[in-house]
Every structure is written in C-alpha cells, then in structure tokens.
Amino acid sequence: MKTHTLLMPLDMHLHLRDGIMLENIAPLSAYSFSGALVMPNLVPPVTTKQNIIAYKKRILASVANDYFEVYMTLFYQNYSKEFLEDVEDEILAVKLYPAGITTNSKEGVKSFDIEAMRPTLEAMSELNIPLCVHGESHGFVMDRETEFMSIYEQLAENFPNLKIIMEHITTKEAVQMLERYENLYATITLHHLLLTLDDVVGGKMQPHLFCKPIAKRPQDREALLQVALNAHPKVMFGSDSAPHPQHEKESSGCAAGIFTAPIAIQMLCELFDKFDALENLQDFISDNAQRIYGICPEFKEVRLSNTPFTIPKIYNTVVPMYANETIGWSIDDIS
Ligand code: DOR
Ligand code: ZN
C-alpha cells in the first residue's frame, strides 16, 4: 500500500453559496482543507464591508466543528481608496468578473476601460490587495480565454505592482502568459487537469462536467498538466468547486459549475501518483499559495492511501464529478 501526507491543503478558488446550500456543502471542504478563498458571486454580490463580515460569519457558523481558515473576497467594482483601506483587513483578494460571463456575474465589469479602473487598481497595488480575474471574453466559447489575454497584458503592464491571478486557466496561451509577466499568477482546477471538451460533449452530453470556462483541447490540458505536476511556483490549486442543485444541472439550460470539493484531494493524489509527481503535490496544493498570498494557515495534516474510494452518487442535493465511480485514492485520517 502506498501512502501520502499533505499538510495544510488550500483551495484558492471555492464557491460556497449561502443559506441551506452553504450549510450543506461548507463542511465538506472544511473536513479536508485547511482553508479556502471564497468567491463573492452571491445574489447580490459581496460588495460592502458589512456583507463581507456577515457572510464570513455564516460560513464559520456552518463549519463549526472543523478548523477551516476562511479567506474572503470582495466582488470587483470601482472602489475608492478609502473604501479599500477600510475593508483590507477583511479580505485576501478582490475578484473580477466580466459582466454576464458566468453564474451571478451580471454586476461585473461591463467594459475594460483601464483608465476608469485605474484609481481602484492603483489603490489595490498600493495596499497590496491581489486581483483575481475570471478571464473570458464574450466571444466564441472555445476562444474566450485566449481572447482575454490582451486584457491580462494591459492589466499586467499598467499595474506592475498588482498581483494578478488568472483564475481557473484552461489554455496553453494562459500558461505561456505566466512567463511573460512577473505579476501574473494562476489557479488551476482539478477538472481542467482531467477533462477536454470531448468529455463534456463528445459523447452523451455530461451536465456534471459542464463549467465556465469550458474544458478545452488535449494540448491545452497537456500544458496545464505540465505546470501543475511540476508545481510551477506561480501556480496554485483552486478547485472552482461550484455546487448547483441536481435539478439545475440535469435540465434544459444546465447551470455551469462542477462540484469537486469533497473529492479533490483524493483525485489529485491519484493524478499526481499516476504521473509519478506526488512529491510536487504539496507545493501545488498549499505551499505555493502560502507564498504567493503571504498566508499561514494553522496546522492540519491529511493522510491518504491508495485504497479505492467510491464517490457518492450525491451530497445532499448536489451531484459530484465522477459520481458513483471508484477512484484509486482515499483519505485515511486527518489531524
Ligand atoms: O462553472 C462555473 N461556475 N464557473 C464560474 O465561473 C462560476 C461558477 C458558479 O458560481 O457556479
Ligand atoms: Zn469560480
């Protein structure tokens, strides 16, 4: 039997929702992760200090039994420096969505007018608040991320002291950008390391593998695997685990989002083991994020082994990726 231990695993891109959904799913992340960067795309989005504090309180209440560091984000709009100074202690980053690009993003940025955004982004640079970006244009679905590269260039060049995190990257073009600008970083999901568009729509359409940005070509997945398996120092794990109730996925007009939070650590172990790269998983799942964000979560140790684990068919109302399939690694215990 093979075993592997991970210390303080972090999920640097997580959707926890609110209300009953929050109560049902937050404990699943809190069980195995040390902490997570929580996305602000609620309805309405998280845009005030009061909302940040209240939402964090509700999250902590829903994970009462587990130690779990909750890193909050603010939904990007143009803000004054005074406002950002007032909220900086409550957040780890600001999350930018192009308006209408994905679930609950309609209050996002309508046009990338750099001059209009300058005061906010300069204030964030001065206060050292990272900018997390959902990088997609409104173009043809397979080209959306690549088309967004020119916006990343403008942001990186105009704000050289701003840490910019390209969230859930899916293309080889995004991977190449990491080398071009010192201030660009990236998160990568589990599902984009496993899937291509073929898995989503190549056979019967798979609603539980449908997300934004959509999985791309084999050569894109290959580029993502290269940097993840080698734990490129500018790359971090962010699951983008995005729960939707079963009836909103298995319907005409399927909601975008793949639910991976409870299976991500086990599947990453399986994947890194398959490529003989288990020794790099610690950097990918925790140490890179600690260094990039300057965070230091409390101690948590997750012990795994290559014992088969059958993924549940459903967690409350949410169907996980690979439901009812058996994977090669499972969590033995956590302390
Ligand atoms: O597939 C996605 N689902 N992509 C996102 O960017 C948002 C997320 C959600 O909130 O459901
Ligand atoms: Zn997301």
Side-chain angles (χ1 to χ4, degrees):
M1 187 176 74
K2 236 191 225 178
T3 62
H4 192 70
T5 299
L6 293 169
L7 302 178
M8 287 96 79
L10 295 170
D11 182 347
M12 298 313 290
H13 184 131
L14 178 64
H15 296 270
L16 285 178
R17 315 299 192 205
D18 212 343
I20 269 285
M21 181 63 98
L22 168 66
E23 284 166 29
N24 282 336
I25 61 141
L28 300 171
S29 285
Y31 169 67
S32 53
F33 284 92
S34 242
L37 185 67
V38 179
M39 294 298 118
N41 61 332
L42 304 183
V43 185
V46 181
T47 55
T48 66
K49 185 176 180 181
Q50 203 185 346
N51 285 349
I52 298 163
I53 293 170
Y55 185 33
K56 182 168 181 175
K57 235 181 174 173
R58 296 197 295 280
I59 297 169
L60 288 173
S62 69
V63 299
N65 295 330
D66 276 297
Y67 165 72
F68 188 57
E69 198 85 56
V70 177
Y71 301 108
M72 301 301 290
T73 57
L74 171 73
F75 190 94
Y76 184 94
Q77 292 181 338
N78 289 333
Y79 295 109
S80 68
K81 184 162 186 194
E82 293 67 42
F83 172 77
L84 291 169
E85 271 167 348
D86 189 40
V87 298
E88 70 170 325
D89 290 345
E90 311 297 335
I91 58 172
L92 187 62
V94 173
K95 173 72 188 286
L96 185 155
Y97 289 92
I101 203 66
T102 188
T103 311
N104 304 341
S105 62
K106 80 172 195 299
E107 308 293 330
V109 171
K110 295 200 171 62
S111 83
F112 284 86
D113 175 348
I114 294 288
E115 292 320 310
M117 299 167 80
R118 188 174 292 280
T120 309
L121 295 175
E122 256 164 20
M124 285 172 58
S125 306
E126 282 159 26
L127 297 170
N128 208 10
I129 304 172
L131 176 72
C132 299
V133 182
H134 182 119
E136 289 195 283
S137 73
H138 288 280
F140 179 66
V141 69
M142 287 295 278
D143 297 335
R144 285 179 188 175
E145 186 172 284
T146 306
E147 286 177 3
F148 200 86
M149 292 302 129
S150 60
I151 309 238
Y152 280 131
E153 282 172 357
Q154 286 182 57
L155 292 170
E157 281 169 17
N158 278 275
F159 307 98
N161 298 320
L162 180 66
K163 252 182 200 166
I164 301 165
I165 293 111
M166 303 186 284
E167 293 295 330
H168 43 55
I169 58 171
T170 62
T171 57
K172 64 179 188 325
E173 286 78 9
V175 169
Q176 286 159 3
M177 288 291 281
L178 288 170
E179 310 306 329
R180 292 189 44 209
Y181 295 97
E182 209 181 314
N183 55 335
L184 283 186
Y185 301 81
T187 56
I188 300 182
T189 71
L190 167 68
H191 47 274
H192 292 118
L193 292 173
L194 296 170
L195 306 175
T196 70
L197 186 65
D198 252 3
D199 298 299
V200 188
V201 291
K204 283 190 174 175
M205 198 181 71
Q206 301 298 322
H208 300 295
L209 304 182
F210 173 64
C211 65
K212 301 284 181 70
I214 197 138
K216 304 290 190 313
R217 296 172 175 79
Q219 55 269 39
D220 294 306
R221 180 180 57 181
E222 187 52 40
L224 299 174
L225 275 169
Q226 279 305 319
V227 282
L229 294 170
N230 290 307
H232 187 295
K234 297 174 91 181
V235 160
M236 306 168 265
F237 174 63
S239 71
D240 199 15
S241 177
H244 293 275
Q246 184 176 24
H247 69 269
E248 286 180 20
K249 295 290 288 176
E250 297 175 10
S251 73
S252 67
C254 165
I258 303 181
F259 184 55
T260 54
I263 60 155
I265 292 184
Q266 302 89 316
M267 290 220 64
L268 282 169
C269 260
E270 177 167 71
L271 180 70
F272 276 61
D273 183 31
K274 180 177 149 198
F275 287 97
D276 241 340
L278 264 180
E279 74 276 13
N280 292 337
L281 183 53
Q282 181 63 37
D283 283 343
F284 179 61
I285 207 168
S286 185
D287 296 8
N288 286 355
Q290 291 188 45
R291 196 183 56 254
I292 292 166
Y293 276 106
I295 51 178
C296 193
E298 265 182 52
F299 190 80
K300 192 173 206 168
E301 188 174 286
V302 181
R303 286 176 292 277
L304 300 105
S305 65
N306 61 347
T307 312
F309 162 57
T310 301
I311 296 173
K313 286 192 181 117
I314 196 156
Y315 289 90
N316 298 301
T317 59
V318 185
V319 178
M321 181 168 76
Y322 295 159
N324 208 29
E325 290 184 32
T326 300
I327 63 170
W329 280 74
S330 49
I331 294 176
D332 289 337
D333 70 297
I334 297 177
S335 54

